[in-house]
Amino acid sequence: MKPASAKDYVFIEFCVEDSKHVNVNSESSKLTFSCLGRSDNFKHLNEIDLFDCTSPNDSKYKRTGRSILCCLQKRESGQSWPRLTKERMMDHMGGKEVDFPEVDGADDDSQDSDDEKMPDLEYGLCHLDFEKEK
């Protein structure tokens, strides 16, 4: 099985509701995105070193009420990218032992006082009659 790919374009969506002061700067192999969230004035900034080159002049973005969708045209048409970035972002996630801090009772399999059996849910219909004011 092979993942689906967009061979001519790369699509990136930044989910920021009601954004303002949106700035998308597409360079050959880098995308820089920034904006302010309208409700909290929180500044969002992302810099992505892309896996391969794009055509900045042919790339565009669209802002909606919930997100900013970037459409980057690949410089090499018809070439699939194995990932979005040059760096394998998840390499540091697997295969290494991680020491988590001890949490009291985390490995305790005994029943807590709030572990009592819950009653089964009952299903039924409820009919409400509303009287109109006269």
Side-chain angles (χ1 to χ4, degrees), residues 33-127:
F33 165 81
S34 66
C35 75
L36 285 178
R38 187 176 305 261
S39 61
D40 57 4
N41 275 336
F42 186 82
K43 184 172 183 171
H44 300 269
L45 174 66
N46 294 85
E47 291 183 353
I48 302 171
D49 289 321
L50 300 169
F51 178 79
D52 206 345
C53 295
T54 61
S55 298
N57 294 335
D58 298 320
S59 299
K60 49 191 143 201
Y61 72 92
K62 179 179 181 180
R63 187 181 82 69
T64 66
R66 295 188 173 265
S67 65
I68 298 89
L69 179 62
C70 301
C71 177
L72 310 176
Q73 185 169 355
K74 293 179 181 178
R75 185 176 289 163
E76 297 280 331
S77 178
Q79 297 292 327
S80 294
W81 293 3
R83 60 188 172 277
L84 178 63
T85 62
K86 286 182 183 177
E87 180 183 330
R88 292 181 185 259
M89 300 184 79
M90 299 301 283
D91 279 351
H92 65 282
M93 297 298 288
K96 296 181 182 174
E97 289 289 322
V98 178
D99 291 331
F100 290 104
E102 289 292 322
V103 178
D104 290 339
D107 292 332
D108 188 6
D109 289 335
S110 64
Q111 274 194 334
D112 291 334
S113 62
D114 63 349
D115 285 347
E116 60 195 44
K117 178 159 173 39
M118 298 292 290
D120 292 334
L121 294 176
E122 294 181 16
Y123 297 96
L125 295 175
C126 179
H127 179 73

